[in-house]
Amino acid sequence: MRNLPPCRRDAAPSLWKQRRRRLKSGGELISQSQSAVAIDLETRLKIIADGDSRLLARLCKVLRAPDLDAEQILNRMAITEPRRRTEILARELLNLQSETLVEVLSRFRLFELPVPEAALSALFTDIPEWEEHRQRAVALGLLEVSQYQARTSYRPAQFLAPLLPPLDTAKLAQRAVEALYQLWWEQADLVQEAQCLELYRLAKLAGDGKIALMMGMTLGSRGKTPGRPREAVPLPLDVLKQEERRLGSESLDVANSLDDLAFLYYSQGRYSEAEPLYVEVLKKRKRRLGSEHSDIALSLNNLASLYEAQGRYSEANPLYVKALGMRRRLLGAQHPDVAQSLNNLASLYEAQGCYGEAGPLYVEVLGMRRQLLGVQHLDVAQSLNNLAGFYASQGCYSKAEPLYVEALEMKKQLLGDEHLDVALSLNNLAGLHVAQGRYGEAEPLYIEALRMRKRLLGGSHPEVVISLNNLAGLHVAQGRYGEAEPLQVEALRMSQRLLGSEHPETANSLSNLADLYTAQGRYDEAEPLYHEALRIRKRVLGEDHPEVAGSLTNLALLYKVQGRYEEAEPLYHPVIKIMIAHFGKEHPYTECAWRNFVAFVEEIVQQTQTARLSAHPVTQRLLKQIQAEPTY
């Protein structure tokens, strides 16, 4: 409660005149002598408060109530030592209330956040007159009221808390968490982190493992683990073990929870921990459901997505194909889940550089979704976005732009102007403009996406990291290094804090900051960042991942610009090998890797430094070709 100013002498008579009028019969007017008595009582309040401004404020508020025996309360307090007078006031006030009002007060302790009225009502289903008791408690100062983000919060006054009776916590928490889960989770577009924490806390009190686990997954995917370090993520495992003991290890609910935990690890870049869980889920579901079931197809799809993220395309492909075939058999050729499988397969083909296969699939999925779901649907917007991204990767910017714009407008119509999917579309359209060199059009879109993500997700979130990196990258492209650096540093620190030091996104932030330092000629600062990014990518993604090739390329180019040719050359060879293995010889990524190596050898020839090249057969063969070319 906020400290109130002491009762002023010139204000006291009106307060006490009102009190004494109630005690006198016939409503006769107070005399001058009675006014003097009121002043004496005000002085008495100050003496009893003994310099405690909070106690004095409470007394002033309590004594306004017309049905309290103020004299009795003051007499009890006067004969008690000063340090215990607040406790006496609390006891006297509670003794004068009905048992029902005290129970109502007690239950308000359950919530730690402002909650909707519907959730409060769920807490008092057995007390029909609870609202009347709430009003009286507020009037007496027994229930404190505060405002937070346009919501009203109620808490019992702090000085009453030690004297309130214990709660039937599990029973009441179950009512509360069920009501809030429906209001905050099922009916809301976006759940705030604080709300997830409150749902998790109440679910633990209620012993509701399902909701506790779901909130743990959600918080974990946002880089938050309630009260514990993110790196360990013991919270979901604790709840999962409880569920296994309660339901049995072969329960489908346990399999679904394992699937959620695997996705949590996947989203955190902990692929080696996610894989055995996805495999276990697939086995459990096969034992319970047989080999042909929609949940089996879902497990195949999830495991394939994990392999794709690791660059294990040859392992992902047959799983995607199998999931697609199963869904067609179970659901028919025209079904939204079939469209999703086709979309995933198209994404894999694009990553592999199989553009001839990927493009037609993206077009097919878009047509199927329009037919099945209508022209205005979020899945249609996703397909528009994916097809636009495919065209952009091919340099077909004129085809990509109208699709990105259509997807953005559709999301705004379906979701409103402020939504995370809208922020994603803004980000994608900005990226297209950057690729076209239209920096002036890209910047406001990146800024709006960043602002929206911060507002909807809070200042710290992995998607905010992506926006910071994108805006910083734009500034680097514009040569605005002074503006780029603080954004890049903030992105790195946020990624390390939220996702941990061993996450692919942290490696991206390290690499981006190193790019900035390289552009500024700050090579000594760039090199250790490139090395750290390379180490993370090798450990998390594997030695042969395309992202590892990207890190090797960055280091090679850094050594080249410094004239450290002997250190640069051996890095080009594994890059070319990785690109050929993943994408084939004709892929633009492979061709780019080869052009980088050719430029490197050409520079050495021009510098007449060929003695510094190794005896590697690829190097020597290329050297001979360059030296044999006629010069003009």
Side-chain angles (χ1 to χ4, degrees), residues 559-565 597-610 626:
Y559 293 154
K560 174 189 170 187
V561 77
Q562 293 176 286
R564 296 161 63 182
Y565 298 139
F597 185 47
V598 170
F600 167 74
V601 175
E602 286 178 338
E603 180 175 312
I604 290 180
V605 170
Q606 291 169 3
Q607 298 289 334
T608 64
Q609 299 282 321
T610 55
I626 292 173

Side-chain angles (χ1 to χ4, degrees), residues 107-209:
R107 292 188 188 185
F108 272 107
R109 290 179 295 173
L110 192 64
F111 294 115
E112 292 186 357
L113 275 188
V115 299
E117 282 288 308
L120 289 177
S121 298
L123 205 59
F124 297 107
T125 53
D126 55 332
I127 306 178
E129 67 279 11
W130 73 273
E131 291 187 72
E132 297 173 16
H133 292 302
R134 175 175 62 177
Q135 292 171 7
R136 174 175 171 77
V138 171
L140 290 175
L142 308 179
L143 198 59
E144 297 176 348
V145 184
S146 60
Q147 294 287 330
Y148 175 76
Q149 293 186 351
R151 289 196 181 279
T152 305
S153 176
Y154 299 92
R155 295 288 294 173
Q158 188 175 359
F159 75 109
L160 298 175
L163 303 176
L164 292 173
L167 291 170
D168 183 356
T169 305
K171 179 180 177 182
L172 293 171
Q174 189 63 49
R175 288 191 208 169
V177 75
E178 286 176 358
L180 284 179
Y181 180 78
Q182 183 179 25
L183 294 164
W184 282 350
W185 186 264
E186 294 181 343
Q187 298 178 8
D189 291 332
L190 179 70
V191 183
Q192 297 176 359
E193 183 181 304
Q195 292 172 333
C196 284
L197 285 166
E198 179 73 345
L199 281 166
Y200 169 76
R201 185 186 66 83
L202 290 170
K204 291 287 281 183
L205 288 174
D208 191 322

Side-chain angles (χ1 to χ4, degrees), residues 229-528:
R230 185 216 66 83
E231 288 78 2
V233 198
L235 175 148
L237 281 173
D238 289 346
V239 182
L240 184 55
K241 288 175 183 176
Q242 293 174 14
E243 289 292 281
E244 274 193 312
R245 286 193 295 270
R246 186 172 67 88
L247 302 172
S249 61
E250 292 300 309
S251 165
L252 285 176
D253 286 339
V254 171
N256 294 339
S257 295
L258 277 172
D259 197 51
D260 290 337
L261 183 56
F263 175 74
L264 171 61
Y265 289 152
Y266 169 81
S267 67
Q268 292 175 335
R270 300 165 65 180
Y271 301 139
S272 62
E273 294 168 83
E275 184 177 353
L277 294 182
Y278 274 140
V279 171
E280 185 179 353
V281 171
L282 178 58
K283 290 178 179 178
K284 284 180 182 291
R285 286 174 171 167
K286 281 184 175 179
R287 286 195 296 267
R288 290 297 305 274
L289 303 170
S291 58
E292 287 275 314
H293 191 277
S294 57
D295 282 355
I296 303 297
L298 177 63
S299 280
L300 292 168
N301 179 81
N302 292 344
L303 190 56
S305 296
L306 175 67
Y307 291 156
E308 182 181 355
Q310 294 174 287
R312 296 161 61 181
Y313 302 137
S314 61
E315 295 172 80
N317 193 309
L319 297 181
Y320 275 144
V321 170
K322 190 173 182 180
L324 172 62
M326 192 177 297
R327 283 173 167 170
R328 279 175 168 162
R329 288 191 299 273
L330 294 170
L331 305 170
Q334 296 294 311
H335 190 278
D337 286 355
V338 172
Q340 187 62 50
S341 278
L342 287 168
N343 181 80
N344 295 342
L345 199 53
S347 173
L348 177 66
Y349 288 154
E350 182 182 1
Q352 292 177 291
C354 302
Y355 301 126
E357 290 86 352
L361 281 183
Y362 279 134
V363 173
E364 181 183 353
V365 172
L366 176 59
M368 186 184 298
R369 284 174 166 171
R370 280 174 168 164
Q371 181 180 353
L372 293 172
L373 305 171
V375 294
Q376 289 285 108
H377 192 277
L378 287 178
D379 284 356
V380 173
Q382 182 200 52
S383 281
L384 289 166
N385 180 79
N386 292 346
L387 185 57
F390 171 75
Y391 286 147
S393 70
Q394 302 297 294
C396 302
Y397 303 136
S398 60
K399 288 185 177 181
E401 185 169 355
L403 297 179
Y404 273 143
V405 170
E406 185 180 353
L408 174 61
E409 292 306 316
M410 190 179 297
K411 288 177 180 179
K412 284 183 175 180
Q413 290 174 16
L414 294 171
L415 303 170
D417 291 345
E418 291 280 315
H419 194 278
L420 291 177
D421 281 353
V422 173
L424 176 63
S425 280
L426 288 168
N427 181 79
N428 291 341
L429 186 57
L432 178 68
H433 291 334
V434 170
Q436 295 172 291
R438 295 159 61 182
Y439 301 141
E441 295 172 75
E443 185 171 0
L445 298 179
Y446 274 147
I447 291 173
E448 176 63 10
L450 174 61
R451 181 203 64 78
M452 196 178 296
R453 283 171 168 168
K454 281 185 172 181
R455 195 191 72 79
L456 294 172
L457 299 169
S460 292
H461 190 276
E463 290 190 29
V464 175
V465 173
I466 293 171
S467 279
L468 288 168
N469 272 320
N470 290 341
L471 186 57
L474 172 63
H475 291 334
V476 171
Q478 294 173 295
R480 295 158 60 182
Y481 303 135
E483 295 172 73
E485 185 169 355
L487 296 175
Q488 209 74 78
V489 170
E490 183 183 357
L492 174 58
R493 289 175 178 169
M494 193 181 297
S495 182
Q496 289 171 329
R497 186 173 68 253
L498 295 175
L499 302 171
S501 58
E502 300 290 307
H503 192 279
E505 190 58 45
T506 300
N508 292 340
S509 292
L510 285 163
S511 186
N512 291 341
L513 184 57
D515 289 344
L516 170 63
Y517 290 157
T518 300
Q520 294 175 290
R522 297 160 63 181
Y523 305 134
D524 290 343
E525 295 173 80
E527 185 174 352

Side-chain angles (χ1 to χ4, degrees), residues 72-91:
Q72 176 183 330
I73 295 174
L74 292 174
N75 286 339
R76 287 289 307 277
M77 295 178 71
I79 61 175
T80 305
E81 56 183 317
R83 67 184 180 85
R84 293 191 59 229
R85 285 174 184 170
T86 297
E87 179 189 344
I88 293 300
L89 175 61
R91 289 187 183 279

